[in-house]
Amino acid sequence: MSRSNNRTPAQMRPVTITRHYIRHAEGSVLIGYGETKVICTASIIEKVPSFLKGAGQGWLTAEYGMLPRSTGERMQREASKGKQSGRTMEIQRLIGRALRSVVDLEKLGERTIQIDCDVIQADGGTRTASITGAFVALCDAVEHLRTKKLISHNPIRDQVAAVSVGILKGQPLLDLDYLEDSSCDTDLNVIMTGNLGLVEVQGTAEKVVFSRQELDTMLNMAQQGLQELFDLQQKALESVVS
């Protein structure tokens, strides 16, 4: 099957991670999964939500958005509509859950790390790129806290990354671009930790149902891609991940 960049079915798109992309944020990354580009920032806020006041722990939350010309046709800003779409809310909750799965919130102290993922160019896999890039931004924000001696122990327990996989015309494919994603028979998003623990699997049969054997094939393919992403995160972070 012919794919973009002449990729094989089990090959990732070129992935780039550029740290310190935004000057003012404690942690920031520009991540690219092929032509998909997302700016991920991690901001430290010295307070927690009201439901956590006095609980002796911190919090991590996320917001996600797409710029009006991140797609082929201009989309209306959600702020101008006065509400977020269900898709936006679902994705930002997913990002928050994924990152919280590898953070010891008690070690953060009573503060919040706010993750913002802004898609500046979309070509499939915006949620998976957001999670992978946001983890690197999170590490830099935590390192800022440690450098300032605001925390004494690293609250990050493991890495986390995400990738899509699917079936198109009977062929399992790793890291779907937009054309593949929009026409595939099965679409699966897989989030895993560095020790290969599953955080979340989002799978849907779009046109044709898939078998348990096909699911296992897709999960194995996703794990292969995720191991590449973990290596790229470590290279980008150098000695930050302990």
Side-chain angles (χ1 to χ4, degrees), residues 42-109:
S43 304
I44 298 167
I45 302 169
E46 291 296 330
K47 61 180 180 180
V48 293
S50 57
F51 70 89
L52 283 176
K53 285 185 178 178
Q57 71 168 67
W59 185 240
L60 185 151
T61 189
E63 292 186 12
Y64 165 96
M66 298 180 68
L67 295 190
R69 279 317 304 265
S70 60
T71 56
E73 295 182 0
R74 185 187 186 277
M75 66 177 67
Q76 187 177 359
R77 294 182 189 272
E78 291 187 339
S80 67
K81 299 178 183 178
K83 65 177 182 179
Q84 292 178 311
S85 69
R87 175 183 180 274
T88 294
M89 290 189 288
E90 184 260 325
I91 291 175
Q92 62 191 28
R93 288 169 181 164
L94 173 68
I95 297 167
R97 287 197 304 274
L99 295 174
R100 287 194 298 271
S101 73
V102 295
V103 175
D104 185 335
L105 295 173
E106 290 186 1
K107 291 181 180 178
L108 270 183

Side-chain angles (χ1 to χ4, degrees), residues 10 14 23 27 39 42 44 51 66 70 78 88 90 108 156 162 167 171 213 216 219 221 226 233:
R23 175 182 178 184
I39 297 173
I44 298 167
F51 70 89
M66 298 180 68
S70 60
E78 291 187 339
T88 294
E90 184 260 325
L108 270 183
I156 299 175
I167 298 176
Q171 174 67 63
Q213 182 179 359
D216 290 341
L219 288 173
M221 186 176 281
L226 286 161
Q233 286 176 332

Side-chain angles (χ1 to χ4, degrees), residues 35-242:
E35 293 300 316
T36 288
K37 312 290 183 185
V38 186
I39 297 173
C40 307
T41 59
S43 304
I44 298 167
I45 302 169
E46 291 296 330
K47 61 180 180 180
V48 293
S50 57
F51 70 89
L52 283 176
K53 285 185 178 178
Q57 71 168 67
W59 185 240
L60 185 151
T61 189
E63 292 186 12
Y64 165 96
M66 298 180 68
L67 295 190
R69 279 317 304 265
S70 60
T71 56
E73 295 182 0
R74 185 187 186 277
M75 66 177 67
Q76 187 177 359
R77 294 182 189 272
E78 291 187 339
S80 67
K81 299 178 183 178
K83 65 177 182 179
Q84 292 178 311
S85 69
R87 175 183 180 274
T88 294
M89 290 189 288
E90 184 260 325
I91 291 175
Q92 62 191 28
R93 288 169 181 164
L94 173 68
I95 297 167
R97 287 197 304 274
L99 295 174
R100 287 194 298 271
S101 73
V102 295
V103 175
D104 185 335
L105 295 173
E106 290 186 1
K107 291 181 180 178
L108 270 183
E110 290 202 10
R111 58 176 55 86
T112 297
I113 296 183
Q114 172 71 53
I115 302 295
D116 290 287
C117 297
D118 294 287
V119 179
I120 61 175
Q121 186 167 279
D123 186 33
T126 61
R127 74 184 66 195
T128 55
S130 294
I131 291 167
T132 302
F135 173 77
V136 178
L138 169 64
C139 287
D140 279 336
V142 166
E143 186 65 14
H144 173 85
L145 289 171
R146 296 177 73 182
T147 299
K148 297 289 185 180
K149 300 188 184 304
L150 296 173
I151 58 175
S152 56
H153 297 94
N154 190 348
I156 299 175
R157 297 178 295 216
D158 201 350
Q159 292 174 250
V160 66
V163 73
S164 65
V165 65
I167 298 176
L168 178 60
K169 298 179 181 178
Q171 174 67 63
L173 299 175
L174 177 66
D175 187 25
L176 307 178
D177 62 23
Y178 175 75
L179 289 177
E180 293 167 340
D181 182 58
S182 62
S183 56
C184 67
D185 301 323
T186 299
D187 181 21
L188 203 72
N189 294 305
V190 181
I191 307 166
M192 295 182 76
T193 62
N195 64 12
L196 304 183
L198 285 167
V199 177
E200 194 152 339
V201 178
Q202 299 180 326
T204 304
E206 302 284 355
K207 300 173 184 177
V208 181
V209 298
F210 56 95
S211 67
R212 172 64 181 272
Q213 182 179 359
E214 288 173 322
L215 174 61
D216 290 341
T217 297
M218 287 188 287
L219 288 173
N220 289 336
M221 186 176 281
Q223 181 173 312
Q224 173 188 320
L226 286 161
Q227 287 175 319
E228 293 180 30
L229 292 170
F230 294 138
D231 289 342
L232 288 169
Q233 286 176 332
Q234 289 178 339
K235 290 176 182 177
L237 286 165
E238 299 170 341
S239 62
V240 173
V241 178
S242 60

